[in-house]
Amino acid sequence: MSALLLAFDDEWPLAERLAAALGWPLQAVQRHRFPDGETRLRLPPRLPARVALLRGLQQPNAKLTELWLAAAGARELGAVQLALVSPYLAYMRQDIAFTPGEVVSQRHVGSLLAQAFECVITIDPHLHRVRSMDEVVPGRRGVALSAAPLLGAWIAAQVPGALLVAPDEEAEQWVASAARAQGLPYLVAHKQRLGDHEVRVSLPHADVAGRAAVLLDDVASTGRTLVDAAKALRARGAASVDVAVTHGLFVGDALASLQAAGVREVWSSDSVPHASNCVSVAPLLARALADWAEG
Ligand code: R5P
């Protein structure tokens, strides 16, 4: 079955790396935004039976509409098997109703994606109360990859002997696997989120004075989690604090706040295009797509 990768212009560098790793042709989804906010999409007029669409869901709301339109349009143009490759999958954090009446976005975005795609592939999704991506996209194939080993190797090369730090308990899974693979020590901090821009991070009783600490997390959004953790590490006498995340959303003043908190380097994977990208997830994604195409 012949296959094609489709991508949008704002994710083209990753799309090219992914197509090259797969050996698949790559074509663009063209997009026009009308003055009233509606979107017109244009796909290649003839599609093969197997199509993968690359679309990260950073700043997700308009993109969800585009995904819905692109998937429906692709089927009319010949696609039979559709995979969504969404390196950053939004709406995964609201996985329970934290207060009565809250809509559980993860469940509903997941079921929307399951209606449109046979397979959804993502990286380090925020799955804490749900065990797997298969549960997020019921009845479909869900694949969760991790960039933590890539970031771990990058950190070990940049900061030999680094002390890896998880800024909260949820990040322990990524930090522990990177630390094990690189033979590095790690510790896990405790986080309390008080609001969108307010978090409190406390470090465990461990000696960080004089250590080169590297914070590793799945996502930096406002950056406040990392900022507070960096401040705590600095206050305990860490010699340096660097930051590595799979998904660098860095909204608003996140980067400036990290700098102001004494963070030296900021690294991210190319799951979200950003100046801090230092490792590519293309080979990971290519292996998962090749498996889907074979199976
Ligand atoms: C949540 O637990 C995640 O792992 C991140 O720590 C969090 O989403 C980061 O958000 P922010 O950068 O806004 O603090």
Side-chain angles (χ1 to χ4, degrees), residues 1-3 48-51 80-81 293:
M1 199 189 277
S2 62
R50 192 178 286 279
V51 173
V80 179
Q81 289 287 318

Side-chain angles (χ1 to χ4, degrees), residues 25 74 91 104 159 191 198 208:
Y91 283 114
V104 184
V159 190
K191 176 170 84 177
E198 206 185 341
V208 299

